[in-house]
Amino acid sequence: YISVTGVQTCALPILAASLGVPVTFVEFASSGAITAAADKGEWDASFIPVDETRKQLMAFGAPYHLLQSTYLVRAGSSVSSLAEANRPGVRIVGIDGTATFRASNKASPNAEQKAVKSPDDAITLLKAEEADALAMGRESLMGLLDLLPGARLLEGGFMNSTTAVVVPKGKPVALAWVTAFIEEAKASGLVRRAFDDIGLKTSVVAPAGMQP
């Protein structure tokens, strides 16, 4: 059972095929929802951003993606930099339970932070001008620009992390296997091709041997 969220679906069929077993996709709305289900036996492997809170709940294997999170600001917003996002009166929306939203709260403590369940909820607030900025990974935000005419992404990032393969705690054999799989996928060019095939040509593949 492999959990699914966002662009991570690109590696899942290959991971299952390499084991010689069928794959069952378990859909979650966000990486926070995957984290919440880590001890419920609902999934066997996933691919999510790394942070210290999640390390207490799951076992991370090899990173495969260098991740940067920033803000998308709606059309008409006066926010033009990360520093300006950290001001009283700025309304930032983020996905509940995600590493990115936790980092946003730390990076912009003076702003008003509102958690929502999904990107669709965030887009609704931005379109209604009930939020000024959305905190997410840069690649994900780029995919939302067409839905929010005039919106723009801020330069730089308030979180620089990695996305990695992960398994529930207490499964050392599974952890070793998925780590070896990711390292081989990076070395063979599979990760690079997978990113390119879904339009993520600017995404950066994590270097070999990198620790989560």
Side-chain angles (χ1 to χ4, degrees), residues 3-194:
S3 66
V4 177
T5 180
V7 303
Q8 287 79 17
T9 55
C10 61
L12 302 180
I14 299 169
L15 176 61
S18 64
L19 279 171
V21 297
V23 59
T24 298
F25 296 103
V26 184
E27 295 191 18
F28 291 88
S30 69
S31 57
I34 293 172
T35 302
D39 62 351
K40 293 181 171 58
E42 296 179 8
W43 56 267
D44 298 305
S46 189
F47 304 84
I48 63 174
V50 179
D51 77 354
E52 294 305 313
T53 298
R54 288 176 176 162
K55 286 182 179 180
Q56 306 305 311
L57 304 171
M58 298 173 285
F60 281 93
Y64 64 93
H65 172 225
L66 300 185
L67 171 70
Q68 183 182 75
S69 293
T70 189
Y71 295 122
L72 176 151
V73 295
R74 63 172 176 82
S77 172
S78 63
V79 176
S80 61
S81 68
L82 294 176
E84 289 181 358
N86 184 27
R87 298 185 310 196
V90 175
R91 300 163 299 174
I92 297 173
V93 64
I95 311 305
D96 190 28
T98 61
T100 291
F101 194 50
R102 285 193 290 274
S104 176
N105 277 267
K106 292 179 181 179
S108 302
N110 295 318
E112 176 187 340
Q113 305 267 352
K114 179 179 177 60
V116 296
K117 294 298 183 183
S118 72
D120 288 342
D121 294 335
I123 291 169
T124 297
L125 293 176
L126 289 163
K127 285 183 174 180
E129 298 188 3
E130 295 177 10
D132 301 301
L134 169 58
M136 286 182 66
R138 184 171 292 277
E139 287 98 338
S140 296
L141 290 175
M142 289 179 65
L144 300 179
L145 287 173
D146 289 343
L147 301 176
L148 296 161
R152 63 195 187 281
L153 271 58
L154 299 185
E155 293 294 326
F158 59 80
M159 183 180 82
N160 293 281
S161 184
T162 59
T163 311
V165 65
V166 65
V167 299
K169 286 276 191 179
K171 297 189 175 183
V173 175
L175 180 63
W177 192 90
V178 295
T179 294
F181 169 83
I182 291 297
E183 290 295 346
E184 172 58 27
K186 290 189 293 187
S188 69
L190 172 62
V191 174
R192 178 74 269 157
R193 293 192 299 273

Side-chain angles (χ1 to χ4, degrees), residues 184-209:
E184 172 58 27
K186 290 189 293 187
S188 69
L190 172 62
V191 174
R192 178 74 269 157
R193 293 192 299 273
F195 282 149
D196 292 346
D197 286 348
I198 57 175
L200 299 179
K201 298 185 182 296
T202 61
S203 293
V204 179
V205 178

